[in-house]
Amino acid sequence: MLFTKINIGVSLLVLGGLYLSNPNTFTSSENEYFSITQQQTPLQTSIVRGKEVYTDFCMQCHLATGKGNGTSFPPLDGSDWLKKKRIESIHAVKYGQKGEITVNQKKFNTMMPPMGLSNEEIADVMNYIMNSWSNKNPKMVTVQEVASIKP
């Protein structure tokens, strides 16, 4: 009985190894996934992490679409403030935002509290925001850049 269980276990391991070692056993979409994940740039990796931070800390106000609610919370999608005021944007995520700002020619004056994020989390969420929806910014926000921004 024990000998049979060992033989079955070894057979399954061998078959599993053959399955995994044969590239034709994966579908084309699975091959694309493995290819893409192995070739991610540092910016792409940061964006993936930033999406998690955004979901946990930002989505409640700025929404999954990044469009805000139009009255209290400004849009991040297509935001001219985000594009033109990089340092101020990073500062707002790092230390919070209070006082009036103008985004896409509309005034907003709701306080955004500091979220207590690490410099890496701030860089990641900024990279996510700056490269999501209609936003495209290939210049990566780095941890060093975030660390250099003071109150």
Side-chain angles (χ1 to χ4, degrees):
M1 180 90 166
L2 178 62
F3 182 72
T4 304
K5 287 182 181 180
I6 292 172
N7 279 341
I8 291 171
V10 169
S11 297
L12 288 174
L13 285 173
V14 169
L15 287 174
L18 290 174
Y19 179 81
L20 292 175
S21 67
N22 182 352
N24 297 324
T25 59
F26 293 107
T27 65
S28 62
S29 63
E30 288 171 321
N31 280 330
E32 288 171 19
Y33 171 77
F34 289 122
S35 175
I36 290 169
T37 56
Q38 292 171 355
Q39 296 175 8
Q40 280 188 333
T41 66
L43 176 58
Q44 291 168 328
T45 302
S46 178
I47 290 169
V48 169
R49 290 189 310 254
K51 183 176 183 177
E52 290 181 35
V53 176
Y54 184 84
T55 300
D56 291 345
F57 292 91
C58 313
M59 192 164 54
Q60 297 83 346
C61 297
H62 295 285
L63 308 179
T65 61
K67 296 200 181 295
N69 66 2
T71 55
S72 304
F73 307 111
L76 301 173
D77 178 19
S79 166
D80 62 349
W81 197 79
L82 183 65
K83 291 175 190 170
K84 295 177 183 175
K85 299 190 177 219
R86 180 180 177 101
I87 293 171
E88 292 89 338
S89 296
I90 297 168
H91 187 277
V93 174
K94 188 171 184 176
Y95 297 108
Q97 170 65 40
K98 62 182 178 178
E100 186 175 276
I101 62 170
T102 302
V103 179
N104 299 342
Q105 303 169 349
K106 185 171 182 178
K107 295 183 186 303
F108 293 88
N109 195 8
T110 302
M111 183 190 154
M112 181 175 95
M115 303 293 159
L117 302 173
S118 69
N119 288 339
E120 181 177 36
E121 289 170 321
I122 294 167
D124 290 342
V125 77
M126 288 300 301
N127 286 320
Y128 173 74
I129 291 167
M130 294 171 81
N131 289 283
S132 293
W133 314 295
S134 66
N135 301 336
K136 302 294 176 243
N137 187 339
K139 184 179 178 195
M140 184 173 173
V141 175
T142 65
V143 173
Q144 294 79 11
E145 182 179 10
V146 174
S148 72
I149 296 178
K150 303 297 178 199

